Amino acid sequence: MGADTAAAQLAALTADRVDHRFKGLPPDAAGQTVGELAAEHRNLFTDGFTTPVLALSAERLTHNLELMETYAARHGLAFAPHGKTSMAPQLFWKQIEHGAWGITLAVPHQVRVAREFGIDRIFLANELVDAAALRWIAAELAADPDFRFICYVDSVRGVELMDAALRGTSRPVDVVVELAAGEGARTGVRREAECAAVADAVAATRTLRLVGVAGYEGEVPQADPERVHAWLHRLTALAADFDKAGRFAGLDEIVVSAGGSAWFDAVADVFADIPELSLPVLKLLRSGAYVSHDDGHYRKITPFTRIPEEGALHPAFRLWSQVVSRPSPDQAFTNAGKRDAAYDLDLPFAQVVRRDGAERPATGITVTGLSDQHAWLGTSSEADLQVGDWVGMGLSHPCTSFDKWQLIPVVEADGTVVDYVRTFF
């Protein structure tokens, strides 16, 4: 598989026909291929796009890709960004073109999407005990010697289920023991002694191969720099203990992986000090939300607020909706709601207003709530807002922004649409 498969499958996306499946696209484009529509370089504001419509900034997307490529290289980190954020194979390949080792995913369906588009290195940040999915993974490994797949194990029972499903397969599945982020945290083995028992269970099989350790520091209870650093030191010490015990004999490298979008600076700090082990260490960072960043949750928690000298991510999403009701001086409604905007972490943020081709700040306008198909706006005496105006909103939480849109226009600063990103949720 790989690049040739990716090129063919990505080309097939451009051959798809524009129709009723895709929100916000110009009705007069129906029947055109996505590639034909992209080649027209229409303007988002004047060439027939309907509201609501989600736009992804071309310039900011490129900036974010380049920034994390530079950051990972500067800190000696391999990078497998979490693909569940976008579920967009076009963006997976842009991330790989910008230095990513591979793509992280969370569930078997996502792996199937990535494989369909030629992704050869996949880190599944989950224990996989579904027998049908495991047999499919085994078939992919058997058919493609270049396919590298790694997933979590976090229990002896899980290892037993994996082994039973994989009996008779030709290549072992590579696994890493997941160390939990603490008592009461999410998944993972709670204590190091239990990690050893899971590793022993793996060693007793012929279907699994232990290649390292991993975890997710974003689940550290009451996370702060001290607690996150302490947990990451536990993770790297576990790798060293496993290595000393000879658990990685016969490998080419040892995998040590962590890294969400809130604490990758701590990961870089601690991984830089991993003691010398018997084999080279693949220090695998998995941050995913960076690709679009956001105007809410991740803007507040990004490590770049702590390390401004390293750069800054730029929020790349803007949701455009139109004022359809202005029933009182202190209230207005636009035609975008829960079906269109992420709302699980924060409500959208009114940023700009467009009228007659002119754009100005959304002064005095606040999103106060969402219905299924309406945004509720509170308007102060400063707000200049009329029915028909376009309101541009920033969003919080990239993962639940991407998953509401199947085809997203990529837009340059002047409104020119230069591409379309297809998602598969």
Side-chain angles (χ1 to χ4, degrees):
M1 295 185 77
D4 290 342
T5 298
Q9 292 296 85
L10 293 175
L13 291 181
T14 68
D16 205 357
R17 297 287 173 180
V18 174
D19 58 24
H20 60 278
R21 292 170 294 167
F22 306 123
K23 297 188 292 185
L25 301 190
D28 67 357
Q32 289 184 284
T33 68
V34 173
E36 289 167 346
L37 181 58
E40 291 181 352
H41 287 177
R42 294 198 188 197
N43 187 279
L44 187 74
F45 307 111
T46 61
D47 288 333
F49 288 84
T50 64
T51 56
V53 60
L54 182 67
L56 186 61
S57 165
E59 296 88 352
R60 291 182 171 208
L61 174 63
T62 297
H63 168 84
N64 293 343
L65 289 165
E66 291 176 347
L67 179 63
M68 285 304 292
E69 177 184 18
T70 300
Y71 182 86
R74 181 184 300 127
H75 292 279
L77 300 169
F79 191 28
H82 211 316
K84 61 134 173 114
T85 297
S86 70
M87 282 309 297
Q90 292 150 282
L91 297 184
F92 294 173
W93 276 100
K94 284 185 180 294
Q95 290 169 314
I96 289 170
E97 289 162 7
H98 283 83
W101 170 91
I103 298 295
T104 296
L105 295 163
V107 294
H109 164 257
Q110 296 171 356
V111 178
R112 290 187 64 191
V113 171
R115 289 297 288 160
E116 188 71 16
F117 287 86
I119 303 299
D120 279 341
R121 291 174 175 171
I122 294 173
F123 186 101
L124 185 71
N126 224 335
E127 183 167 69
L128 178 56
V129 294
D130 184 297
L134 283 163
R135 288 193 291 268
W136 177 79
I137 292 289
E140 290 289 295
L141 289 167
D144 184 358
D146 293 326
F147 179 31
R148 179 85 194 274
F149 177 82
I150 303 170
C151 72
Y152 285 173
V153 288
D154 88 337
S155 65
V156 172
R157 170 65 173 164
V159 169
E160 291 170 348
L161 290 171
M162 295 177 76
D163 180 48
L166 292 167
R167 296 279 172 84
T169 56
S170 60
R171 282 179 64 186
V173 171
D174 287 349
V175 297
V176 290
V177 172
E178 182 194 6
L179 177 66
E183 295 296 330
R186 201 167 64 187
T187 56
V189 186
R190 294 297 190 257
R191 286 168 287 278
E192 280 77 356
E194 295 168 356
C195 289
V198 174
D200 287 341
V202 171
T205 75
R206 294 183 179 180
T207 58
L208 305 176
R209 182 175 71 157
L210 182 67
V211 298
V213 299
Y216 175 46
E217 75 292 338
E219 286 291 320
V220 169
Q222 299 176 308
D224 61 23
E226 182 178 357
R227 289 186 177 93
V228 170
H229 276 78
W231 179 82
L232 286 164
H233 281 295
R234 284 182 61 199
L235 182 68
T236 58
L238 179 65
D241 289 345
F242 277 9
D243 185 45
K244 186 177 180 180
R247 296 187 183 276
F248 302 129
L251 301 180
D252 296 324
E253 63 185 5
I254 299 167
V255 178
V256 182
S257 180
S261 295
W263 295 102
F264 55 73
D265 56 334
V267 174
D269 288 346
V270 175
F271 280 16
D273 294 329
I274 292 177
E276 184 173 349
L277 303 182
S278 63
L279 296 166
V281 177
L282 182 72
K283 303 173 183 180
L284 197 59
L285 181 70
R286 305 192 308 270
S287 310
Y290 81 98
V291 68
S292 68
H293 197 47
D294 74 4
D295 281 292
H297 180 71
Y298 285 100
R299 170 172 267 177
K300 289 180 285 190
I301 69 171
T302 176
F304 287 115
T305 62
R306 297 186 290 271
I307 48 172
E309 68 278 7
E310 299 256 27
L313 293 168
H314 295 164
F317 272 140
R318 180 164 283 172
L319 177 64
W320 289 97
S321 64
Q322 198 165 20
V323 178
V324 294
S325 181
R326 187 78 161 100
S328 67
D330 60 358
Q331 198 172 39
F333 294 86
T334 76
N335 61 348
K338 292 179 180 179
R339 308 297 185 189
D340 314 296
Y343 59 92
D344 55 320
L345 296 179
D346 298 287
L347 291 171
F349 307 91
Q351 295 177 323
V352 294
V353 175
R354 287 186 67 91
R355 182 190 303 159
D356 299 327
E359 190 171 297
R360 63 182 186 280
T363 305
I365 302 171
T366 304
V367 179
T368 60
L370 293 176
S371 299
D372 280 355
Q373 306 292 175
H374 292 92
W376 296 56
L377 306 185
T379 54
S380 72
S381 59
E382 299 176 283
D384 176 13
L385 197 63
Q386 299 177 3
V387 170
D389 289 349
W390 283 38
V391 179
M393 302 176 185
L395 302 174
S396 183
H397 198 183
C399 300
T400 48
S401 298
F402 276 104
D403 72 5
K404 296 179 183 297
W405 295 83
Q406 291 187 64
L407 196 62
I408 304 171
V410 179
V411 184
E412 293 183 338
D414 65 357
T416 302
V417 178
V418 295
D419 201 0
Y420 295 85
V421 168
R422 182 71 184 269
T423 64
F424 292 84
F425 284 94

